[in-house]
Amino acid sequence: MTKNSSYSPIHVIGGGLAGSEAAWQIANAGVPVILHEMRGVRGTDAHKTDGLAELVCSNSFRSDDATSNAVGVIHAEMRMAGSLIMASADKHQVPAGGALAVDRDGFSDAVTKAIHKHPLITVVREEISGLPPKEWDLAVIATGPLTAPSLASAIQAETGEDSLAFFDAIAPIVYRDSIDMDICWYQSRYDKVGPGGTGKDYINCPMTEEQYNAFVDALIAGDTVGFKEWEGTPYFDGCLPIEVMAERGRETLRHGPMKPMGLTNAHNPTVKAYAVVQLRQDNALGTLYNMVGFQTKLKYGAQADIFRMIPGLENAEFARLGGLHRNTYINSPTLLDPSLTLKSRPGLRFAGQITGCEGYVESASVGLLAGRFAAAERKGEPVSPPPATTALGSLLGHITGGHIVTDEEPGKRSFQPMNINFGLFPELQPGSIVKPEGVKRFRGKDKTVMKRQLIAKRALADCAAWLGQDLKLAESA
């Protein structure tokens, strides 16, 4: 580790997973860090301790399989990059099958002790109520979904956004290759081309009257999640959960997001669908499709069961399930450059969930990137983003530019928080997936598994190259 205190310090605001990781990466690059953490002076409704990187929800970092799971891939890439969060998680893991789960107290204690022991990190317990002063020429804001209201207001004033704290209406997102196109078809309503469209911009799933009624019954009976008291922000009529709409009347959905007007079933043109579920392309790669108007409070298990009642989605795989929850994040693709710097304020970076990622490791990984970028800038070195083919690069791409912009839904609604998933990675080169020798039937799940294995292998190799490491040595470390 290079140590050189001749550099001016970089300020990191927020001592959660992202802020702790950013501080660690900066300090390990030989640049001093001042880490500002509010807890200890002012608590939150969700945190229970003053420890750094406290896990407020689950104790699971999810799958640790780096061969065919996107979360496992980002774990491996973070380990290669010297992640404090991953090192502490590995040290304090508890049995959880193929997942990486941790003793939450031991994990937080390990991160806290490592940060305090580092000779180049100074921890200051104070609330930063506004944007960093200009004399802090390089700073990282990593305050998460529970950003203090005063700081959120300052960010709002700087960015010009209408609101930062609200109920985030999230519709489920489906992997394109899990949709049955023998049942579904491409078509925009009334074949409308629209800005940047072709007239075939939606995937349409048709329903008979019987199927529709069964679906509405299932929605109304479905098990939902209640809001916590501190999530007191109301949602708006334009963001009503799909099951709330169903409760307002049996025909509500058929005259709302599931209206069949202007659509003709390409597989059966003479039969008019009673209702239609539309899916809209959600990322620039065309690998993910958003279920239009399907924000929901249904529990995850209920969502998967009920939404697979939709014709064409019987075998759907979800990159993300729906939800409505309090969140604070900025419209990163509009506001941030590829190095996570606020375009209106050079030297000020954002990291973690406030950038529009979801999940512990995703938050920490964006902190890792912001820290490395900030340290490189301080040292006058090139700021080199990871390749788009890596898990780190694909998540960065989603945050800073992987969304779809439309005239119909401008601004924040065209960009929503996302966990790492294979739908964010660029597609493989044509011909990459080859049927194994001696295998007669090679399709469906077998083909999907091979595809993910190849994407994972490419990601780890490209990440090692980006870090200047030998992949075999990195894997054995």
Side-chain angles (χ1 to χ4, degrees):
M1 178 176 64
T2 302
K3 297 182 181 180
N4 188 339
S5 59
S6 65
Y7 294 115
S8 298
I10 294 173
H11 294 260
V12 177
I13 303 172
L17 280 82
S20 297
E21 186 65 63
W24 185 258
Q25 294 291 326
I26 294 167
N28 274 6
V31 177
V33 181
I34 299 176
L35 177 60
H36 305 263
E37 170 51 45
M38 176 179 72
R39 285 176 298 119
V41 174
R42 183 178 184 275
T44 76
D45 291 314
H47 292 89
K48 304 300 181 186
T49 76
D50 296 337
L52 301 178
E54 179 187 341
L55 305 181
V56 298
C57 298
S58 167
N59 70 327
S60 175
F61 282 38
R62 310 187 333 269
S63 175
D64 202 38
D65 175 14
T67 64
S68 58
N69 188 290
V71 180
V73 174
I74 207 166
H75 285 180
E77 292 182 5
M78 291 173 68
R79 289 184 180 110
M80 282 192 272
S83 165
L84 171 63
I85 295 302
M86 289 308 303
S88 301
D90 290 337
K91 187 176 179 180
H92 292 278
Q93 62 180 298
V94 296
L100 173 61
V102 304
D103 175 303
R104 65 177 70 239
D105 292 333
F107 167 78
S108 177
D109 288 346
V111 174
T112 303
K113 288 176 182 176
I115 291 290
H116 279 281
K117 283 183 179 180
H118 201 296
L120 292 182
I121 301 177
T122 301
V123 179
V124 179
R125 296 284 180 166
E126 63 178 352
E127 180 181 353
I128 303 299
S129 57
L131 290 182
K134 291 293 175 70
E135 54 264 31
W136 296 4
D137 61 327
L138 290 183
V140 178
I141 294 177
T143 47
L146 298 177
T147 297
S150 55
L151 179 55
S153 296
I155 295 169
Q156 177 184 346
E158 173 68 26
T159 61
E161 295 298 291
D162 294 335
S163 176
L164 288 176
F166 55 94
F167 266 111
D168 183 19
I170 297 176
I173 288 181
V174 180
Y175 287 107
R176 161 62 186 82
D177 58 11
S178 70
I179 301 170
D180 188 348
M181 295 307 296
D182 289 335
I183 294 173
C184 307
W185 75 96
Y186 285 102
Q187 185 188 8
S188 299
R189 204 176 300 280
Y190 301 109
D191 301 309
K192 183 179 178 182
V193 174
T198 65
K200 296 183 178 181
D201 303 321
Y202 293 80
I203 293 177
N204 299 279
C205 310
M207 279 188 175
T208 64
E209 183 174 3
E210 182 181 5
Q211 289 168 332
Y212 174 80
N213 284 323
F215 182 69
V216 170
D217 290 339
L219 284 176
I220 294 171
D223 196 7
T224 60
V225 177
F227 294 138
K228 296 180 180 178
E229 286 185 7
W230 53 268
E231 292 188 319
T233 309
Y235 46 74
F236 305 104
D237 260 11
C239 298
L240 282 177
I242 192 79
E243 64 277 3
V244 173
M245 285 189 273
E247 290 170 353
R248 291 188 170 186
R250 184 157 293 273
E251 295 294 294
T252 301
L253 292 175
R254 217 171 70 81
H255 294 281
M258 295 176 64
K259 58 181 178 286
M261 285 76 78
L263 298 168
T264 301
N265 189 336
H267 303 296
N268 197 356
T270 61
V271 177
K272 187 72 174 178
Y274 190 76
V276 173
V277 175
Q278 288 197 304
L279 294 90
R280 178 180 55 232
Q281 185 175 334
D282 195 77
N283 66 341
L285 297 173
T287 53
L288 301 173
Y289 274 73
N290 184 299
M291 296 178 68
V292 178
F294 268 63
Q295 54 273 2
T296 178
K297 290 194 300 177
L298 288 168
K299 290 185 177 179
Y300 283 172
Q303 285 187 50
D305 291 341
I306 293 171
F307 295 154
R308 286 185 180 127
M309 294 173 65
I310 299 169
L313 302 186
E314 292 90 347
N315 298 307
E317 293 185 33
F318 297 93
R320 183 189 70 195
L321 287 163
L324 265 148
H325 59 91
R326 183 181 183 276
N327 204 348
T328 301
Y329 71 97
I330 61 175
N331 191 13
S332 293
T334 300
L335 300 174
L336 302 183
D337 73 11
S339 74
L340 298 167
T341 300
L342 192 64
K343 294 175 184 177
S344 66
R345 174 96 180 259
L348 179 59
R349 287 181 168 82
F350 283 79
Q353 282 186 258
I354 199 169
T355 65
C357 65
E358 288 207 331
Y360 290 150
V361 292
E362 290 87 344
S363 179
S365 72
V366 180
L368 182 152
L369 292 173
R372 294 177 78 93
F373 295 158
E377 184 174 349
R378 173 64 83 216
K379 296 167 74 174
E381 298 172 353
V383 177
S384 173
T389 50
T390 64
L392 291 169
S394 66
L395 187 60
L396 179 65
H398 167 72
I399 289 168
T400 61
H403 69 314
I404 300 294
V405 178
T406 69
D407 289 340
E408 292 178 2
E409 292 190 274
K412 190 181 297 292
R413 289 196 189 181
S414 62
F415 170 68
Q416 292 184 334
M418 181 75 77
N419 294 110
I420 187 67
N421 65 81
F422 281 120
L424 301 182
F425 291 69
E427 290 281 8
L428 296 166
Q429 293 294 324
S432 298
I433 302 175
V434 179
K435 184 174 72 171
E437 189 174 342
V439 174
K440 293 182 179 180
R441 293 170 59 86
F442 184 62
R443 59 186 180 186
K445 290 186 177 180
D446 292 335
K447 193 172 183 180
T448 297
V449 169
M450 176 176 280
K451 176 182 177 181
R452 293 178 179 178
Q453 289 173 339
L454 292 172
I455 291 174
K457 184 177 181 180
R458 178 186 67 181
L460 296 179
D462 289 354
C463 185
W466 174 63
L467 293 168
Q469 299 179 6
D470 181 281
L471 180 58
K472 290 184 179 179
L473 291 177
E475 289 176 336
S476 62

